[in-house]
């Protein structure tokens, strides 16, 4: 008889947990997945997928406006928020079904409930204990909100995706990924949007030109950005909210949303109690094989707070399964992982920002800013920005940055080039596709004049 009930028990059916479980199942392991909420996790149910559907839905507003310059007349176009949310929900239901099916098809047992680690090989679900040779913790993260008086009135991206009505006036606290993405959605659909950021620029950690230019473009679209500003309190006033700012000013909003980061979901999971080491942010500390401080307990995805992106969690899950259930040891290379912010216009980057590159390299910078062809006729005052950060000594392209339509689609291709260690000379030797915006990445010939790094 087998020593354990399962070879693998996974806590959490999000991107990382599902990929690891289904591959392990496919390789013949006896696997159970425990999920307390919906199969698919943050990305599919509360993040990337519903958010992108709403971004696509909202972006039509700009397409309609732009079409006029091309001879279209469009009268009477209206948007029904509730219809869009219902359509999105239907798609999520379909996706949840797909996730369950692919797990079952791989022979994985699905267990609904909250899994808590009871010891190095035991998980308890609603009072029932089950054992496994390995436990994979893939319980993700959860939004954190600032602690000001009235914070209970503040919604997060979880609720923003399910609002019954689109708010007329919304204040969004934060200037990271989620804040700018939701600002774009609500603004395009007609809400008055104010981003409240505690620093001077959006998107901390991104390249300085990207940060500055995205701010300009959002402001051109009518999004207000209150910089160096914090909310002191929020108070309910009838159907609306009174928002007090640090300097004592009051504003009225229909909705206040916080997009102020996410924290790993490690509380009440039985981890610390069972000697699983957590870092100061509460994330599970793992080695390159995704192994925690307890030999039989592993973790992948946002709960480890490494690079909190879906494709990273998927790859961590895949490599965990390949290593331990298919005898093909694999570890993930965290360099040059491309990412995108689905703001309007979108941002996408791969590699180092100018500031990061300057720490270890002498750099040459290539920057272009131009009006995309579409806007010559649409008349829209929107400018695309592309930037290459190149190592002076080796000619290697260290970073590619873009703010503008289709940036994520374009940067995905360039990520392959950076993974291959492409040089600027190889970019130059690449013949562009005309007329596209993407061709600018291979036709930037003159570096920008030397400039002082920003403090
Ligand atoms: P981010 O960490 O990206 O941004 C948090 C923002 O909140 C920052 O602007 C930060 O300001 C601000 N902030 C933090 N605490 C406070 C506070 N107490 N008061 C006021 N402002 C505060 O977090 P998000 O919530 O936007 O996203 C979480 C993570 O989810 C991302 O880091 C990313 O990994 C992932 N994600 C990825 C997406 C994608 O790939 N497209 C989309 C959405 C999320 P400051 O800059 O001053 O620190």
């Amino acid at each position: 008889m087998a020593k354990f009930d399962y070879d693998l028990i996974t806590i959490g059916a999000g991107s990382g947990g599902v990929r690891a479980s289904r591959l392990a199942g496919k390789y013949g392991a006896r696997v159970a997945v425990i999920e307390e909420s919906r199969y698919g996790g943050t990305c599919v149910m509360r993040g990337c997928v519903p958010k992108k559907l709403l971004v696509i839905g909202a972006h039509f507003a700009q397409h309609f406006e732009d079409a006029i310059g091309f001879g279209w007349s469009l009268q009477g176009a209206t948007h029904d928020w509730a219809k869009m949310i219902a359509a999105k929900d239907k798609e999520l239901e379909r996706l949840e079904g797909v996730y369950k099916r692919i797990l079952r098809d791989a022979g994985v047992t699905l267990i609904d409930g909250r899994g808590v680690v009871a010891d190095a090989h035991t998980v308890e679900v609603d009072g029932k204990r089950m054992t496994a040779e390995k436990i994979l913790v893939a319980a993700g993260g959860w939004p954190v909100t600032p602690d000001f008086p009235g914070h209970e009135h503040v919604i997060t991206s979880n609720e923003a995706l399910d609002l019954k009505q689109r708010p007329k006036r919304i204040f969004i606290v934060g200037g990271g990924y989620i804040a700018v993405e939701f600002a774009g959605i609500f603004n395009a659909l007609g809400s008055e949007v104010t981003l409240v950021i505690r620093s001077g620029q959006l998107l901390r950690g991104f390249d300085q030109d990207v940060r500055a230019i995205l701010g300009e473009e959002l402001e051109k679209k009518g999004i207000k950005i209150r910089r160096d500003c914090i909310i002191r309190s929020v108070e309910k006033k009838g159907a609306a909210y009174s928002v007090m700012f640090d300097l004592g000013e009051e504003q009225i909003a229909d909705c206040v949303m916080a997009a102020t980061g996410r924290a790993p979901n490690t509380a009440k999971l039985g981890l610390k109690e069972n000697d699983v080491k957590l870092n100061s942010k509460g994330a599970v500390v793992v080695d390159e094989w995704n192994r925690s401080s307890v030999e039989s307990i592993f973790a992948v995805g946002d709960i480890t707070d490494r690079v909190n992106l879906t494709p990273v969690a998927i790859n961590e899950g895949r490599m965990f399964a390949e290593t331990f259930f298919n005898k093909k040891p694999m570890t993930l290379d965290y360099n040059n992982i491309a990412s995108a912010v689905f703001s309007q216009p979108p941002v996408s980057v791969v590699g180092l920002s100018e500031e990061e590159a300057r720490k270890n390299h002498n750099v040459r910078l290539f920057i272009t800013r131009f009006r995309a062809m579409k806007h010559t006729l649409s008349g829209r005052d929107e400018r695309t920005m592309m930037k290459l950060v190149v190592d002076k000594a080796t000619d290697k392209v260290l970073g590619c940055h873009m703010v503008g339509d289709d940036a994520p689609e374009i940067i995905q291709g360039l990520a392959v080039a950076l993974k291959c260690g492409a040089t600027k000379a190889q970019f130059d030797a690449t013949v562009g596709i005309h007329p596209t915006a993407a061709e600018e990445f291979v036709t930037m010939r003159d570096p920008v004049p030397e400039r002082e790094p920003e403090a």
Side-chain angles (χ1 to χ4, degrees):
M1 211 179 99
K3 193 170 164 201
F4 299 107
D5 300 328
Y6 296 99
D7 299 313
L8 173 68
I9 293 179
T10 301
I11 301 178
S15 302
V18 166
R19 184 57 58 97
S21 306
R22 115 175 138 80
L23 277 182
K26 187 180 121 189
Y27 295 137
R30 297 166 309 136
V31 184
V33 174
I34 304 167
E35 173 56 57
E36 67 174 335
S37 175
R38 298 184 69 184
Y39 289 72
T42 301
C43 172
V44 182
M45 292 300 149
R46 295 176 293 277
C48 325
V49 173
K51 176 273 313 281
K52 181 88 187 271
L53 291 172
L54 266 49
V55 168
I56 294 169
H59 203 52
F60 281 109
Q62 182 172 324
H63 294 319
F64 294 151
E65 282 173 18
D66 291 346
I68 295 164
F70 291 81
W72 290 91
S73 34
L74 296 149
Q75 277 91 34
T78 56
H79 184 257
D80 186 330
W81 171 268
K83 240 185 189 170
M84 179 172 73
I85 297 296
K88 178 264 297 175
D89 287 343
K90 200 167 159 213
E91 172 59 5
L92 299 196
E93 234 167 77
R94 186 188 72 82
L95 287 173
E96 185 172 21
V98 169
Y99 269 68
K100 286 184 173 173
R101 197 185 66 235
I102 53 176
L103 283 167
R104 287 197 183 109
D105 287 352
V108 174
T109 305
L110 274 52
I111 301 172
D112 295 337
R114 181 169 174 81
V116 176
V117 174
D119 69 37
H121 292 283
T122 309
V123 177
E124 192 173 309
V125 190
D126 303 328
K128 194 170 166 239
R129 290 187 160 223
M130 50 201 79
T131 60
E133 189 187 342
K134 291 185 174 59
I135 296 170
L136 178 66
V137 186
W142 200 251
V144 288
T145 52
D147 204 13
F148 49 68
H151 64 90
E152 66 277 11
H153 302 306
V154 170
I155 65 162
T156 68
S157 51
N158 289 346
E159 296 79 32
L161 290 164
D162 286 329
L163 286 173
K164 297 272 174 283
Q165 279 178 345
R166 177 176 56 76
K168 279 206 183 93
R169 298 158 295 182
I170 180 167
F171 283 77
I172 303 177
V173 190
Y177 283 80
I178 295 179
V180 297
E181 292 180 340
F182 278 86
I185 293 168
F186 288 118
N187 175 66
L189 293 174
S191 303
E192 267 175 43
V193 179
T194 307
L195 282 167
V196 183
I197 61 172
R198 62 182 178 184
S199 62
Q201 291 283 20
L202 303 167
L203 293 183
R204 184 188 295 282
F206 281 73
D207 186 276
Q208 64 191 42
D209 288 302
V210 168
R211 300 179 72 190
I213 285 164
L214 182 68
E216 276 174 32
E217 294 297 338
L218 296 192
E219 283 175 329
K220 276 193 219 163
K221 287 187 194 295
I223 294 173
K224 294 194 191 96
I225 306 177
R226 294 184 71 120
R227 298 164 196 265
D228 304 304
C229 180
I230 54 171
I231 290 181
R232 280 269 168 252
S233 64
V234 174
E235 203 184 315
K236 193 153 175 44
K237 284 228 168 127
Y241 298 94
S242 144
V243 182
M244 290 297 287
F245 291 96
D246 42 358
L247 295 174
E249 183 198 346
E250 183 188 17
Q251 294 267 336
I252 301 296
D254 304 300
C255 182
V256 183
M257 172 177 167
T260 45
R262 298 173 61 87
N265 256 335
T266 43
K268 298 185 191 151
L269 266 190
L271 296 172
K272 254 202 324 217
E273 298 78 351
N274 286 291
D275 302 322
V276 175
K277 197 171 160 205
L278 307 181
N279 70 14
S280 58
K281 289 184 180 163
V284 180
V285 178
V286 288
D287 65 12
E288 73 266 41
W289 303 104
N290 302 296
R291 192 190 294 268
S292 77
S293 53
V294 175
E295 180 142 17
S296 56
I297 301 182
F298 297 77
V300 294
D302 288 4
I303 202 158
T304 63
D305 196 25
R306 288 174 282 183
V307 177
N308 297 332
L309 298 172
T310 296
V312 172
I314 290 174
N315 275 289
E316 289 167 351
R318 172 170 76 93
M319 292 184 180
F320 164 78
E322 293 292 347
T323 302
F324 296 104
F325 297 98
N326 195 31
K327 297 194 179 80
K328 282 193 185 152
M330 286 183 195
T331 57
L332 184 59
D333 174 7
Y334 290 86
N335 291 311
N336 290 328
I337 292 173
S339 73
V341 185
F342 294 95
S343 45
Q344 298 180 41
V347 168
S348 191
V349 306
V350 59
L352 302 181
S353 67
E354 178 186 337
E355 299 80 339
E356 286 165 336
R358 281 188 190 280
K359 287 180 194 156
N360 297 309
H361 305 265
N362 283 321
V363 294
R364 283 191 302 150
L365 303 172
F366 296 82
I367 300 176
T368 177
R369 209 165 169 206
F370 58 93
R371 196 178 209 194
M373 193 178 193
K374 180 179 178 187
H375 299 313
T376 57
L377 295 202
S378 79
R380 182 176 295 281
D381 176 22
E382 183 174 306
R383 294 172 83 77
T384 296
M385 191 280 290
M386 293 172 176
K387 176 171 178 177
L388 291 176
V389 181
V390 178
D391 183 25
K392 242 187 204 169
T394 61
D395 198 41
K396 245 188 174 179
V397 179
L398 302 171
C400 308
H401 305 265
M402 178 170 173
V403 182
D405 280 347
D406 302 322
E409 308 291 343
I410 293 169
I411 292 288
Q412 180 65 88
L414 293 185
V416 180
L418 260 68
K419 265 296 190 213
C420 298
T423 60
K424 178 65 169 67
Q426 288 168 322
F427 270 60
D428 291 344
T430 304
V431 177
I433 301 172
H434 188 72
T436 62
E439 68 180 314
E440 295 287 324
F441 266 122
V442 295
T443 54
M444 284 188 263
R445 300 282 178 248
D446 300 316
V448 297
E450 294 278 344
R451 63 185 192 186
E452 286 297 311
E454 275 204 356

